[in-house]
Amino acid sequence: MPSAEEILRGLDPEQEEAVRAVRGPVCILAGAGTGKTRAITHRIAYAVATGVVPEQQILAVTFTTRAAGEMRGRLRALGAPRVQARTFHAAALRQLSYFWADAVGGPKPTLIDSKIKTVAAAAHSCGFQVDRTELRDLAAEIEWAKVTQTRPTDYETAVAKEGRTPPMPPRDVARVYEAYEELRSEHNLLDFESMLELTVAMIHERPDIAERIRSQYRYFVVDEFQDVNPLQKLLLDAWLGDRDDICVVGDPNQTIYTFAGATPSYLTGFPEVYPHATVVRLVRDYRSTPQVVRVANAVLRSGGAAALSPDYRMELVAQRPDGPEPTYTEYDDDLAEATAVAEKITGLINAGTPAREIAVLFRTNSQSATYEEALADAGVPYTVRGAAQFFDRPEIRAALHTLRGASRADDGESLVTTVRHLLQPLGLTEQPPEGRQAREKWESLAALAQLAETIAAQRPEARLADFVAELHTRAATEHAPGFDGVTLASLHAAKGLEWDAVFLVGLTEGLLPIIYAETPEQVEEERRLFYVGVTRAREHLHLSWALARSPGGRRTRTPSHFLDGLRPAAAAPARQHRERHRKKDRMVRCRVCGATLLEAVERTLGRCQDCPASVNEELLERLRHWRREAAALQKVPAFVIFTDATLQAIAEQEPSTAAQLARISGVGERKLRRYGEAILTLCAGGTPEQAISGLREETP
């Protein structure tokens, strides 16, 4: 175990101040990139090393199992492996389960992680017909009501007071909410909010149980305290009792979940609740260049009347060397913006920036599709953050089952060879398959194989059983192996992450701030969301917006007012880029009925999806065969060569000249130069083997 002095080594003055403050209430205001996790894990380890508290009596609370897993890993390295680091929900479930028979009795309820099914039944019982999207919104609204401790009878009043816009008339939401609670009780179901409520009630109503819990946990650390909601605060207060050995850590400038019930007031008001509290401010930014930090600080300084007081703006001080200036670019339409972003990303990758260190961030998930297609057309691999959690995917569950069974009879083969052999029957082919769903499954299995390679390189002696144990640890902490591709993510999903290069796209009024941000407080939350996006960038920061949704559309959008005072006066439309891509920027009409095409797939096909079209099936099969061979030869996923929609368009239009081929969306100048001859060979009746010969000659 490191000594106390060794634990202090390498900390900056403010971090050391936080680490040495091991008793009483402590509030650490930690700006983006200032090393807050380092500070709090070293503080915990220092408290253990100096004998202030036994490690088994410490409870560190985080908001995600991934963050809890990272904290436990750091604490193990610092010599404090028995510290409990858990989410609010995990800690409450553990306590409630342990004391259930004594405190509650009867059969344990079924814990549900999604309200959708029960909310659907509740809505139906009230006579409402709602679709899947409305169900999700209703479930979120019920969750808000529960975490803010708003009962069905009080819901209408609470909504009016908070200025919320519910997904249905407030009276109807209240009816569904009440029916949901009745169904949940009738079927002995427990949602996350009720679990916290029951734990709080158990502690308040059973002094003997409260004493046992409080004797177990005497020392508390709460990360991301700006995201605490009223229900979580009730649980924290129940754990504490009348004690004050609590350290809270957070950044009020990154409060982006007030719509879900979170409030920064617990963090900003901490010194008032505990007048004798030690308050430490971490402002040295080790993540971003001075150029990025200047943008981040300016974003907060330009806040309106509803912005946080200057005491909590956390003016960051950059610690890294200078980097490139952020760029601000205006485009005619979304397609032009996405195409340009894909080009810039290609340039960064060619210049040495790994694809996994690049992110495209947007306000809503619906913006993702255009960038997925643009990156695919540019031959850039990508991954969309926010899809099904890695270890919840069916193929990964099947893989874990297979690997676990095989680990009991390990024959001593190398780890990498064994894992790849076991994953082959599940779909890990040498080359990625066609089709988006099949490709996503293949990428998941490939990520497991890549992880095996990484572990084998780090620990040559590792066997299959060690790999399985690692996977179970990661599954428990949601620590999924990464896919080596550009990340596409919403701004909310990007919180807590960082990349070398970040592209903030779609920065227009109505998107950021979002159109339903009506009150000054809601607009300021959108500004904080923008701040979160900016501070994800280490070195390269690109900000862009488009004036129209589709090529040829009306240019009715205006740049986000969050950009006021940030972008240089000379930041003007990217005319040079528009000229270079005038073919793609023009209005595209269906070649069958003449309608304007707006959807990406339709623009690629050159027709409405429901318009009749003849396709040369034999040519399409040869195109697919050739693409598989080309992907194998170049060691890239098949979609990087051409997407399915582009192959379909080629098979429908059967181009005979380079000019005709160039008019098909998804081909582009680069792909025309590289693959044009091969495609025309296939269209003229050539075989895939003939078409692939040229690629073999140019591949080293």
Side-chain angles (χ1 to χ4, degrees):
M1 177 177 179
S3 67
E5 290 308 309
E6 288 173 332
I7 291 170
L8 294 175
R9 193 173 300 152
L11 300 174
D12 68 31
E14 294 80 18
Q15 290 172 343
E16 183 173 339
E17 180 186 359
V19 170
R20 287 184 178 276
V22 292
R23 295 314 307 243
V26 177
C27 177
I28 302 175
L29 298 173
T34 57
K36 70 177 179 66
T37 305
R38 176 180 174 83
I40 58 178
T41 51
H42 280 245
R43 179 182 180 273
I44 292 170
Y46 187 75
V48 173
T50 54
V52 170
V53 60
E55 57 186 299
Q56 61 268 28
Q57 292 188 340
I58 301 172
L59 179 60
V61 186
T62 70
F63 274 80
T64 66
T65 52
R66 181 185 179 91
E70 179 185 355
M71 189 176 293
R72 286 194 293 269
R74 293 198 187 197
L75 288 168
R76 280 196 299 270
L78 289 168
R82 291 189 289 174
V83 171
Q84 295 295 309
R86 300 181 181 277
T87 65
F88 276 102
H89 295 111
L93 179 60
R94 185 180 179 90
Q95 294 169 10
L96 191 61
S97 298
Y98 185 83
F99 292 107
W100 182 268
D102 185 23
V104 183
K108 289 184 179 180
T110 300
L111 181 64
I112 57 174
D113 58 5
S114 172
K115 298 179 176 65
I116 295 294
K117 184 177 180 180
T118 309
V119 171
H124 180 74
S125 71
C126 295
F128 300 125
Q129 299 297 321
V130 292
D131 61 24
R132 183 77 178 178
T133 300
E134 291 171 323
L135 282 175
R136 286 197 295 266
D137 291 340
L138 267 174
E141 193 66 12
I142 290 172
E143 186 169 313
W144 171 82
K146 298 191 73 169
V147 301
T148 57
Q149 294 293 276
T150 302
R151 302 306 173 195
T153 53
D154 303 322
Y155 175 79
E156 291 182 70
T157 302
V159 166
K161 181 180 178 181
E162 294 296 324
R164 290 179 69 85
T165 304
M168 298 170 62
R171 180 171 297 182
D172 293 342
V173 175
R175 287 178 58 196
V176 174
Y177 178 14
E178 185 173 22
Y180 167 82
E181 289 290 78
E182 290 173 354
L183 284 172
R184 192 182 55 76
S185 176
E186 179 183 339
H187 294 285
N188 199 26
L189 303 177
L190 192 66
D191 59 25
F192 286 127
E193 296 76 42
S194 298
M195 179 175 66
L196 299 192
E197 288 177 331
L198 278 175
T199 306
V200 172
M202 178 180 70
I203 293 173
H204 283 318
E205 296 171 8
R206 290 290 300 269
D208 56 328
I209 292 177
E211 176 58 30
R212 292 177 65 181
I213 290 175
R214 290 168 184 164
S215 65
Q216 171 67 51
Y217 297 118
R218 298 178 174 272
Y219 200 84
F220 295 87
V221 177
V222 186
D223 194 12
E224 303 286 4
F225 200 59
Q226 79 278 352
D227 289 333
V228 165
N229 62 47
L231 180 53
Q232 292 164 335
K233 183 63 163 54
L234 279 176
L235 178 59
L236 181 61
D237 290 343
W239 284 337
L240 272 171
D242 58 0
R243 300 166 297 174
D244 66 359
D245 259 332
I246 178 172
C247 172
V248 298
V249 189
D251 179 4
N253 299 300
Q254 295 189 66
T255 303
I256 58 174
Y257 292 109
T258 62
F259 66 89
T263 171
S265 62
Y266 299 129
L267 178 62
T268 57
F270 192 84
E272 297 177 14
V273 176
Y274 299 100
H276 59 299
T278 299
V279 179
V280 183
R281 299 168 66 90
L282 305 183
V283 297
R284 300 178 195 240
D285 188 322
Y286 297 97
R287 175 188 298 160
S288 305
T289 63
Q291 287 75 11
V292 173
V293 168
R294 277 198 292 271
V295 175
N297 287 335
V299 168
L300 294 182
R301 280 198 300 267
S302 58
L308 292 167
S309 73
D311 293 340
Y312 294 100
R313 284 186 189 159
M314 303 298 292
E315 189 91 0
L316 299 174
V317 181
Q319 304 297 300
R320 289 189 56 184
D322 280 341
E325 288 292 336
T327 67
Y328 301 82
T329 313
E330 181 178 286
Y331 297 96
D332 278 346
D333 54 74
D334 289 344
L335 181 60
E337 184 179 12
T339 302
V341 167
E343 281 191 353
K344 290 178 180 179
I345 288 174
T346 300
L348 284 172
I349 293 173
N350 291 341
T353 302
R356 65 179 176 276
E357 289 296 347
I358 303 173
V360 180
L361 307 182
F362 31 74
R363 177 60 179 86
T364 67
N365 287 322
S366 62
Q367 295 169 263
S368 174
T370 304
Y371 291 89
E372 291 181 49
E373 181 168 2
L375 290 172
D377 286 346
V380 176
Y382 64 85
T383 181
V384 181
R385 186 173 178 82
Q389 293 184 2
F390 185 84
F391 289 101
D392 288 338
R393 298 173 187 174
E395 64 270 19
I396 297 304
R397 288 181 178 274
L400 284 172
H401 178 76
T402 298
L403 294 170
R404 184 168 54 246
S407 68
R408 301 190 185 102
D410 192 346
D411 60 6
E413 281 282 343
S414 75
L415 175 60
V416 175
T417 301
T418 301
V419 170
R420 286 195 170 275
H421 174 73
L422 292 170
L423 296 183
Q424 281 178 357
L426 301 179
L428 184 63
T429 55
E430 285 298 319
Q431 295 302 322
E434 299 175 7
R436 180 171 177 175
Q437 297 298 325
R439 175 172 62 81
E440 289 179 353
K441 176 181 177 181
W442 182 89
E443 286 173 356
S444 297
L445 296 173
L448 282 185
Q450 290 173 9
L451 179 61
E453 293 175 2
T454 300
I455 291 176
Q458 295 172 344
R459 298 157 53 196
E461 76 285 357
R463 313 307 319 159
L464 184 58
D466 301 314
F467 182 61
V468 170
E470 174 71 16
L471 291 178
H472 279 293
T473 299
R474 285 171 175 255
T477 61
E478 293 182 4
H479 186 189
F483 173 67
D484 191 12
V486 172
T487 298
L488 300 177
S490 71
L491 288 166
H492 282 101
K495 188 172 183 292
L497 304 176
E498 59 186 77
W499 296 270
D500 285 346
V502 168
F503 291 80
L504 291 177
V505 300
L507 302 178
T508 59
E509 292 293 312
L511 276 176
L512 193 72
I514 199 73
I515 191 169
Y516 47 76
E518 298 175 346
T519 68
E521 291 77 15
Q522 290 169 341
V523 171
E524 286 309 309
E525 176 145 336
E526 293 288 299
R527 185 187 302 278
R528 295 193 294 271
L529 191 57
F530 181 36
Y531 173 81
V532 166
V534 169
T535 54
R536 300 311 93 195
R538 298 191 191 104
E539 185 172 0
H540 302 278
L541 177 63
H542 301 277
L543 304 97
S544 61
W545 58 96
L547 300 180
R549 177 176 180 269
S550 57
R554 294 179 59 193
R555 294 154 54 104
T556 57
R557 293 174 176 169
T558 58
S560 170
H561 72 271
F562 294 159
L563 295 168
D564 294 349
L566 298 182
R567 54 180 175 143
R575 293 187 177 88
Q576 183 179 5
H577 181 272
R578 292 205 310 276
E579 176 64 22
R580 187 165 66 249
H581 289 275
R582 59 188 180 279
K583 172 180 73 70
K584 288 193 174 183
D585 283 358
R586 73 171 188 272
M587 185 180 297
V588 178
R589 295 189 180 278
C590 175
R591 54 189 166 83
V592 179
C593 70
T596 300
L597 300 178
L598 300 178
E599 298 300 326
V601 172
E602 292 181 338
R603 292 172 61 84
T604 298
L605 291 174
R607 61 173 174 82
C608 302
Q609 291 195 65
D610 55 357
C611 278
S614 59
V615 59
N616 186 330
E617 295 289 353
E618 191 271 336
L619 172 58
L620 183 58
E621 182 57 34
R622 284 187 285 120
L623 286 166
R624 288 171 173 163
H625 186 139
W626 168 83
R627 185 178 63 171
R628 284 195 298 270
E629 294 294 322
L633 190 63
Q634 297 179 0
K635 295 181 172 60
V636 296
F639 77 94
V640 168
I641 307 294
F642 283 117
T643 64
D644 289 347
T646 299
L647 291 190
Q648 175 87 11
I650 293 171
E652 289 181 6
Q653 300 180 41
E654 299 185 64
S656 59
T657 67
Q660 292 173 351
L661 179 59
R663 284 196 288 270
I664 295 176
S665 179
V667 176
E669 296 176 7
R670 185 182 66 84
K671 292 189 178 183
L672 183 64
R673 288 195 304 270
R674 184 157 200 182
Y675 306 124
E677 184 177 347
I679 295 298
L680 293 175
T681 296
L682 291 167
C683 290
T687 66
E689 290 72 22
Q690 291 171 327
I692 205 72
S693 60
L695 286 179
R696 288 201 180 98
E697 292 174 1
E698 68 177 56
T699 302

